[in-house]
């Protein structure tokens, strides 16, 4: 997978070069390009923003600069990229989104700042590539870079050869629609707190039941909305009996 990020703070994306993702880039499982939006300015001040039409607080990112940047970064004789635009007003980004995007050959992420990017940039890009305006959660950040890091990490970890143990991606929270239950490691007793005996029983069926029950209980307590949106078939008769 190829990932390009356009931003006025390229150094914000440095963490991508660290740890697991850094290794995946070194091993060419992913190629990441980070581009400074100001490269496409032509004035001495390298201006990327201007006052909003209709008034209101803050500034809006100029369409001309973004248009030229996307023209160049997204240029191809083949299939265009999927353009991802982080915004607090976007569709929710979920694990399902990450799975879907993990099958994409090329993502371009447009990281806005200020009050956002002139909407005509999204409108114009939609004429020649798929565009998704997405939000990573119901809170307001200062710009799109943290959201880009979040989304890139959640997509990249699903790619073959990126995670040391691919099974952990399959057993993700949300992968079966439920939250992950608690996990434990040695020692067996720590500050007079013991590991649940079933996990040391060696009875794999009992362990699997216990883990499913813990996921259901945690999801019911913390994210009832996930249960509400689960299809009946994905909940077993035993689950419903709990
Ligand atoms: N994804 C996501 C986001 C963002 C986000 C993403 C991109 C930008 C570009 C500018 N701002 C600041 C800003 C403040 C106020 C109104 C509009 N925009 C962003 C915020 N905030 N919260 C999320 N879940």
């Amino acid at each position: 997978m190829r990932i390009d990020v356009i931003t006025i703070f390229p150094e914000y994306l440095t963490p991508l070069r660290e740890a697991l993702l850094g290794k995946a880039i070194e091993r060419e499982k992913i190629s990441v390009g980070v581009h400074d939006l100001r490269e496409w300015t032509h004035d001495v001040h390298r201006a990327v923003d201007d006052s909003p039409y209709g008034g209101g607080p803050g500034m809006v990112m100029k369409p001309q600069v973004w248009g030229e940047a996307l023209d160049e970064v997204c240029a191809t004789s083949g299939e265009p990229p999927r353009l991802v635009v982080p915004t607090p007003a976007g569709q929710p980004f979920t694990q399902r989104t990450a799975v879907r995007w993990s099958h994409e050959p090329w993502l371009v992420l447009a990281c806005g700042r200020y009050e956002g990017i002139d909407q005509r940039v999204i409108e114009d890009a939609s004429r020649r590539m798929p565009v998704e305006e997405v939000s990573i959660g119901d809170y307001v950040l200062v710009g799109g870079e943290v959201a880009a890091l979040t989304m890139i990490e959640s997509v990249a970890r699903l790619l073959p050869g990126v995670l040391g143990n691919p099974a952990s991606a399959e057993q993700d929270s949300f992968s079966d629609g439920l939250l992950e239950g608690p996990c434990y490691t040695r020692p067996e007793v720590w500050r007079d707190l013991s590991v649940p005996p079933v996990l040391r029983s060696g009875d794999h069926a009992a362990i699997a039941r216990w883990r499913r029950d813990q996921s259901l209980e945690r999801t019911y307590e913390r994210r009832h909305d996930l249960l509400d949106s689960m299809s009946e078939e994905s909940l077993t008769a035993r689950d419903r009996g709990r």
Side-chain angles (χ1 to χ4, degrees):
M1 176 184 282
R2 174 183 168 184
I3 299 176
D4 287 287
V5 185
I6 306 171
T7 168
I8 59 171
F9 293 117
E11 63 280 7
Y12 236 98
L13 281 297
T14 308
L16 287 178
R17 310 282 173 194
E18 298 300 319
L20 212 62
L21 280 190
K23 287 191 176 43
I25 295 168
E26 278 166 27
R27 299 202 321 261
E28 298 182 342
K29 302 291 181 190
I30 324 168
S31 81
V32 176
V34 180
H35 311 272
D36 184 344
L37 179 68
R38 293 191 196 276
E39 284 174 27
W40 288 276
T41 59
H42 306 293
D43 63 303
V44 67
H45 300 295
R46 310 191 82 198
V48 293
D49 63 304
D50 201 342
S51 311
Y53 272 117
M59 303 292 273
V60 174
M61 300 194 91
K62 298 163 66 73
Q64 307 95 318
V65 184
W66 272 108
E68 288 186 31
L70 291 172
D71 287 351
E72 186 169 333
V73 172
C74 302
T76 176
S77 56
E79 278 300 298
R82 179 168 297 270
L83 178 63
V84 172
V85 185
T87 167
Q91 292 272 335
F93 174 79
T94 66
Q95 186 67 14
R96 193 184 294 264
T97 319
V99 170
R100 175 165 56 87
W101 288 357
S102 70
H103 303 296
E104 291 286 340
W106 184 13
L107 297 175
V108 174
L109 289 93
C111 298
R113 283 269 157 167
Y114 309 102
E115 296 302 309
I117 301 171
D118 185 302
Q119 193 63 32
R120 291 170 293 179
V121 172
I122 286 93
E123 221 172 303
D124 171 60
S126 302
R127 295 168 173 163
R128 54 189 181 280
M129 69 191 86
V131 182
E132 294 189 49
E133 295 181 81
V134 288
S135 167
I136 61 167
D138 294 339
Y139 39 80
V140 182
L141 301 168
V142 180
E145 288 80 6
V146 164
L149 282 170
T150 302
M151 294 190 279
I152 291 169
E153 179 166 305
S154 65
V155 171
R157 67 185 290 277
L158 298 172
L159 300 177
V162 172
L163 274 187
N165 172 10
S168 50
E170 283 137 34
Q171 291 151 28
D172 271 344
S173 263
F174 307 104
S175 59
D176 59 359
L178 298 176
L179 299 183
E180 233 157 48
C183 57
Y184 301 86
T185 187
R186 286 178 289 216
E188 194 180 316
V189 180
W190 176 73
R191 295 187 180 180
D192 80 4
L193 300 169
S194 298
V195 171
V198 68
L199 295 179
R200 297 173 29 254
S201 68
D203 178 342
H204 297 294
I207 291 169
R209 280 195 305 274
W210 182 85
R211 283 178 165 160
R212 175 76 177 184
D213 290 349
Q214 290 294 310
S215 288
L216 279 165
E217 210 165 292
R218 184 173 274 192
T219 308
Y220 184 84
E221 285 161 8
R222 299 179 184 178
R223 291 293 307 276
H224 207 285
D225 59 299
L226 292 178
L227 286 179
D228 298 341
S229 56
M230 278 184 81
S231 59
E232 273 303 302
E233 356 3 309
S234 56
L235 287 172
T236 66
R238 183 173 179 277
D239 293 339
R240 283 191 285 274
R242 279 192 51 73

